[in-house]
Amino acid sequence: VLLITGFALRYPESWWALGLARMGMDEGLRGNIHRAAGVILILTSLYHAYYILATRRGRRELAAFLPDRRDWKDLIQNLRYHTFRSREKVEFGRYDYSQKAEYWALVWGTALMALTGLVLWFPTVVVRVLPGIVIPASQTIHFYEAVLAGLVILVWHFFFVVFHPEEYPMSWTWLTGKMTRKSAQTHHGRWYREVLQAEAEPTEEPGD
């Protein structure tokens, strides 16, 4: 929603923006939709920040997303495997290096878009405390970050969750929060073994 309405505001004379206008989505309405979607994105991000910092499971997920030295080794080994210089397929942990990179790019991009979007939404308030050059700088950053985000979604994200031969027609994990045992074993073998080992370990009763 943000991409469509945002680029329509940037290119109001484009054929697809004019098409939206003919359907009743004039520039004023597109602007309101864009701002409303931006508010929803910010609120969702704030909830996510609360979840990963203030809940036990969230902190566990955050720890799993933190980059470590193993990611570099996995990247090199994966490149060797896909260039036929090694027959050993990489066994990833709970999240592989590409998923970690996409997550932190999303965090950085969302923060940048939210900040510059608020500057563009309330320019008269901003110029009271910051130099006027902040407004055109925010316009440039907001636009090119939107271009980058759109390309990441269309080229990177859609490939790995939709068009990848092992995922097509779609990975359902984003809806169910679950993956099949086969998928976990194939894509996250190291994590899969850790989970099985944890399940196999006997739990101590209180007082033991």
Side-chain angles (χ1 to χ4, degrees), residues 2-185:
L2 284 165
L3 283 173
I4 293 172
T5 55
F7 283 122
L9 292 170
R10 181 65 181 253
Y11 303 108
E13 300 302 321
S14 60
W15 63 268
W16 52 275
L18 294 175
L20 291 175
R22 283 193 290 269
M23 290 188 293
M25 291 183 61
D26 57 21
E27 186 171 350
L29 179 58
R30 292 197 301 269
N32 290 333
I33 293 175
H34 190 77
R35 294 182 186 94
V39 170
I40 293 173
L41 177 65
I42 292 173
L43 293 176
T44 304
S45 301
L46 292 174
Y47 170 76
H48 178 71
Y50 162 78
Y51 176 77
I52 63 173
L53 295 174
T55 67
R56 183 190 302 178
R57 183 178 179 185
R59 289 192 294 269
R60 188 167 65 244
E61 292 296 319
L62 179 60
F65 267 118
L66 293 176
D68 55 36
R69 293 180 181 178
R70 186 63 184 262
D71 294 321
W72 290 105
K73 295 179 181 179
D74 288 346
L75 171 60
I76 294 171
Q77 179 59 30
N78 206 31
L79 289 173
R80 288 175 56 83
Y81 175 78
H82 286 291
T83 54
F84 308 103
R85 289 183 291 170
S86 173
R87 294 183 179 181
E88 183 181 353
K89 189 174 182 180
V90 183
E91 290 190 325
F92 296 109
R94 185 174 181 86
Y95 299 107
D96 63 43
Y97 60 85
S98 66
Q99 292 170 324
K100 292 181 181 182
E102 186 173 3
Y103 174 78
W104 289 110
L106 174 64
V107 170
W108 164 255
T110 301
L112 198 60
M113 293 298 282
L115 182 61
T116 55
L118 289 171
V119 169
L120 298 176
W121 193 354
F122 304 104
T124 56
V125 176
V126 172
V127 294
R128 294 176 187 171
V129 294
L130 295 174
I133 195 174
V134 170
I135 306 302
S138 295
Q139 288 178 325
T140 301
I141 294 171
H142 202 77
F143 172 71
Y144 284 107
E145 179 63 26
V147 172
L148 180 60
L151 290 174
V152 168
I153 292 171
L154 294 174
V155 178
W156 177 299
H157 189 72
F158 275 18
F159 172 76
F160 282 106
V161 301
V162 178
F163 301 113
H164 193 286
E166 295 179 359
E167 298 291 352
Y168 188 83
M170 182 177 64
S171 169
W172 294 97
T173 305
W174 72 282
L175 284 175
T176 64
K178 302 176 182 178
M179 65 171 59
T180 63
R181 183 179 294 267
K182 179 181 178 182
S183 181
Q185 193 172 10

